[in-house]
Amino acid sequence: MTPSADPSEEIALARAMAAMAPAGVRTGCRIIRDGDEAHLLPAEAGSIPARQPAMRRASGAARWIAHRLLADVGFDGFALLRTPSGAPAWPEGITGSLAHDDDMAVAAVAPVAGTGSLGIDVEPALPLPNDIFSLVAIPADRMGAADRQLAGRILFAAKEAVYKAAYPLDREVLGYEDIAVDLEAGHATTRMGRKVSIAYCIAPRVVVLAFIAE
């Protein structure tokens, strides 16, 4: 287990994610632990080019969650192969997303019949450094009543999650400047005109879920 991770955080985050997820979306989280690379199925391990132990542990932790979420909807033992874009290839009829920071992995899955596409991102609940905020924020972004200390971090995670949700549908590479986020209204708009709904939690970690209705 990573030294900065607290097992109680895993339980608290799982509850917070479940509370923010819309109907039909299943979520989960896992503290990244030593040996989590062993949770990669053989085909998954072969599809992931990263050889750094930390990256493979994180990938194993994220897929450990996803395997259980998929088993709940009838896809037990499904191998989530990494595609050329870096995203996993989900079963037919299922959309999903994986993410991790240094200590925590998260995942979300849903039937495409109710949710056309999903994106998720996780970040530590810490202020975003000013130099990164200046790269992420644009005048069209609206922070609303978001926590002032964490608004930048939420914005960063939101744009990451929105990109993950929009790319499978539009196949357009987007920069931060191409996504306008309105945290108060709970949605974002890409430069392609794609509307994406967002939900987030900030404790014990910042997690943003982006979703597009079918």
Side-chain angles (χ1 to χ4, degrees):
M1 185 182 298
T2 51
S4 58
D6 178 352
S8 65
E9 185 175 343
E10 192 176 69
I11 298 169
L13 185 59
R15 290 173 177 165
M17 291 171 62
M20 75 173 182
V25 177
R26 296 170 181 267
T27 59
C29 63
R30 177 179 173 82
I31 292 171
I32 300 168
R33 295 164 167 83
D34 291 338
D36 269 353
E37 62 274 15
H39 294 303
L40 294 169
L41 299 176
E44 293 172 339
S47 75
I48 297 172
R51 290 291 173 258
Q52 301 94 327
M55 289 299 296
R56 296 187 77 79
R57 281 196 297 272
S59 294
R63 281 169 170 77
W64 182 92
I65 308 161
H67 292 157
R68 280 149 184 77
L69 296 176
L70 288 174
D72 288 343
V73 292
F75 292 94
D76 195 10
F78 185 87
L80 284 170
L81 305 185
R82 186 183 187 275
T83 66
S85 72
W90 297 91
E92 186 71 24
I94 296 292
T95 181
S97 186
L98 310 177
H100 65 84
D101 60 18
D102 289 343
D103 301 314
M104 186 76 73
V106 297
V109 303
V112 295
T115 304
S117 191
L118 279 176
I120 197 168
D121 194 50
V122 59
E123 293 285 326
L126 298 169
L128 191 70
N130 289 336
D131 57 338
I132 300 178
F133 180 79
S134 66
L135 295 175
V136 172
I138 61 173
D141 293 326
R142 297 289 180 266
M143 305 298 194
D147 184 289
R148 292 182 64 184
Q149 292 293 314
L150 296 178
R153 186 72 69 169
I154 301 166
L155 182 66
F156 175 83
K159 294 197 178 191
E160 293 284 337
V162 167
Y163 177 74
K164 290 180 181 180
Y167 182 80
L169 302 178
D170 299 329
R171 297 294 173 180
E172 288 287 334
V173 175
L174 301 173
Y176 297 119
E177 70 279 7
D178 298 320
I179 302 170
V181 172
D182 187 332
L183 292 178
E184 191 164 29
H187 66 69
T189 307
T190 73
R191 66 173 169 81
M192 306 298 294
R194 174 73 64 181
K195 300 288 187 181
V196 184
S197 299
I198 55 176
Y200 68 89
C201 61
I202 60 173
R205 248 172 171 75
V206 172
V207 176
V208 178
L209 185 66
F211 47 100
I212 299 170
E214 177 66 4

